[in-house]
Amino acid sequence: MKTLEIVHLLDDVSPGGVMQALAIFEHPAWVGRLRSRVVTVKPDQTLAPSLKADVIMTHFPPRWRALPFLVSLRLRNRHARLIHIEHSYTRAWAAHHVPRFGRFRMMLNISSRLFDRIVAVSQGQSQWLTEAVGIEPRRLQVVSPWSDVPALQAVPPSDWQGQRPLVVGAYGRFVWLKGFDRLVARFLTLDPARYQLYLGGSGPEEQALRALAGEAPHIHFVGQVDDRAGFLAACDIIAVPSRWESFGLVAAEARQAARPLLVAGVDGLPEQAAEAGWEVDFDSEHGLSTCLQNLTPPRLGAMAASARISTQCLVDDRLLRWRQLLPLD
């Protein structure tokens, strides 16, 4: 049986969600069936590499300046199946960044025609690519990222019964898009005797977030989260207040650890909170407090059970979807 050669083209290989998502191609199920490697590229250059590969996947967002590169990639690798994984562009992202949507839509349509298939990372993103951008549904496949942290499945459910403050956790890179400023602002209005916030991570917004939190006794900065299982075990519920989020690996990890979700109603986040949490308007003065006030121990326990159940077939689902996309036979 021929081993499938896959090349992943990235313009940024720093640690993050994209690199983490590539772990699915190292799963033992692929041993002897495919080999996967990463090649770093500069998409703003005109000439793409000619590659020894059966499948080439691009993981950088298309843009007008990258179109010559993508055309060159198609022409210089006619033998390969080209698949684009769209990690970045979403409805909420476009609302924040695109003043001339018609021009942006034209660019996405032109670039999408250079690929055999387009992969969206969530149903919400796929719906937007179909309805707003006009990419044909038959050329789209949804394959959500996979977070390879086996210890999450062993995290025991929260023991919160109202006997102590509820611990809300949030973690990730401290940048504006993640919306941690909205979460901190809302938490400042909550009773420290009833609610605690653990913020994990670091980034350029850290000093601004610390200044916003001030001396609030119930807002705690715990530093970089290297042990995700340990952090999630210390929390009762996880907030994801992002301003845009194509999928949200943090939400998926929280579900694996039996932690319910409080998510912003954007892009790929609401589908992760179905039966496992609530959508929250983090810009509303009372959005977060209303949800937390309605949270009872039985409700938390039910959502925690649903959260974990929703991830039981997660790996098998990802593997199946990739088998449907890859020319393995």
Side-chain angles (χ1 to χ4, degrees):
M1 181 174 59
K2 181 179 182 291
T3 300
L4 197 71
E5 299 286 344
I6 299 178
V7 172
H8 302 277
L9 300 186
L10 283 79
D11 62 349
D12 182 2
V13 293
S14 58
V18 175
M19 290 298 295
Q20 189 174 335
L22 295 183
I24 191 67
F25 297 101
E26 304 301 324
H27 192 277
W30 301 125
V31 172
R33 305 194 70 188
L34 64 80
R35 280 191 294 266
S36 175
R37 62 190 175 98
V38 172
V39 172
T40 306
V41 295
K42 296 180 179 179
D44 290 350
Q45 295 181 344
T46 302
L47 192 63
S50 176
L51 298 161
K52 183 182 178 182
D54 301 299
V55 177
I56 299 172
M57 298 188 191
T58 57
H59 296 265
F60 53 85
R63 48 192 180 267
W64 284 109
R65 285 183 299 174
L67 279 181
F69 179 93
L70 295 176
V71 171
S72 173
L73 183 69
R74 176 77 280 176
L75 293 176
R76 302 193 73 200
N77 297 276
R78 295 178 184 273
H79 58 284
R81 176 174 294 189
L82 263 58
I83 299 174
H84 173 64
I85 296 85
E86 185 47 65
H87 298 279
S88 303
Y89 295 144
T90 66
R91 189 186 308 274
W93 182 94
H96 282 282
H97 293 90
V98 181
R100 298 169 59 191
F101 189 78
R103 187 172 184 272
F104 177 71
R105 184 181 190 274
M106 182 186 300
M107 180 276 294
L108 284 182
N109 269 283
I110 293 171
S111 61
S112 71
R113 295 175 190 276
L114 298 169
F115 294 92
D116 297 295
R117 296 296 293 273
I118 307 296
V119 171
V121 297
S122 66
Q123 295 292 343
Q125 184 191 52
S126 176
Q127 184 178 3
W128 173 73
L129 288 170
T130 300
E131 296 176 354
V133 178
I135 297 177
E136 297 175 343
R138 64 181 180 83
R139 301 186 60 244
L140 270 170
Q141 172 75 36
V142 176
V143 187
S144 299
W146 172 56
S147 185
D148 185 17
V149 188
L152 297 179
Q153 295 289 348
V155 174
S158 165
D159 64 355
W160 183 74
Q161 295 295 321
Q163 78 283 15
R164 57 169 176 77
L166 180 82
V167 178
V168 178
Y171 64 103
R173 184 159 168 75
F174 291 164
V175 290
W176 186 78
L177 77 90
K178 295 299 183 182
F180 293 126
D181 57 312
R182 303 192 295 180
L183 179 60
V184 170
R186 300 287 80 80
F187 232 85
L188 288 171
T189 67
L190 300 182
D191 182 359
R194 298 184 62 190
Y195 306 108
Q196 298 283 311
L197 174 63
Y198 290 179
L199 275 174
S202 62
E205 296 287 315
E206 182 168 353
Q207 292 306 313
L209 288 173
R210 287 182 178 274
L212 179 61
E215 299 299 321
H218 57 319
I219 300 177
H220 312 278
F221 291 82
V222 302
Q224 195 67 35
V225 177
D226 297 318
D227 177 9
R228 278 167 281 181
F231 177 84
L232 287 162
C235 303
D236 301 308
I237 193 167
I238 297 298
V240 189
S242 305
R243 290 180 165 91
W244 63 87
E245 198 74 70
S246 56
F247 173 67
L249 272 174
V250 165
E253 290 174 354
R255 288 190 291 131
Q256 286 179 266
R259 290 306 183 266
L261 299 169
L262 300 168
V263 303
V266 297
D267 304 325
L269 291 177
E271 63 205 64
Q272 296 211 58
E275 305 298 325
W278 287 312
E279 285 185 42
V280 178
D281 182 356
F282 287 96
D283 285 324
S284 166
E285 183 178 351
H286 302 293
L288 178 62
S289 60
T290 299
C291 283
L292 292 178
Q293 288 166 9
N294 289 331
L295 187 63
T296 63
R299 186 69 181 272
L300 182 78
M303 290 193 299
S306 295
R308 177 157 280 165
I309 289 171
S310 72
T311 68
Q312 286 183 347
C313 298
L314 183 148
V315 178
D316 290 341
D317 174 72
R318 278 26 169 201
L319 291 171
L320 175 61
R321 289 174 182 265
W322 279 118
R323 285 193 192 101
Q324 294 169 344
L325 275 169
L326 298 174
L328 289 165
D329 298 325

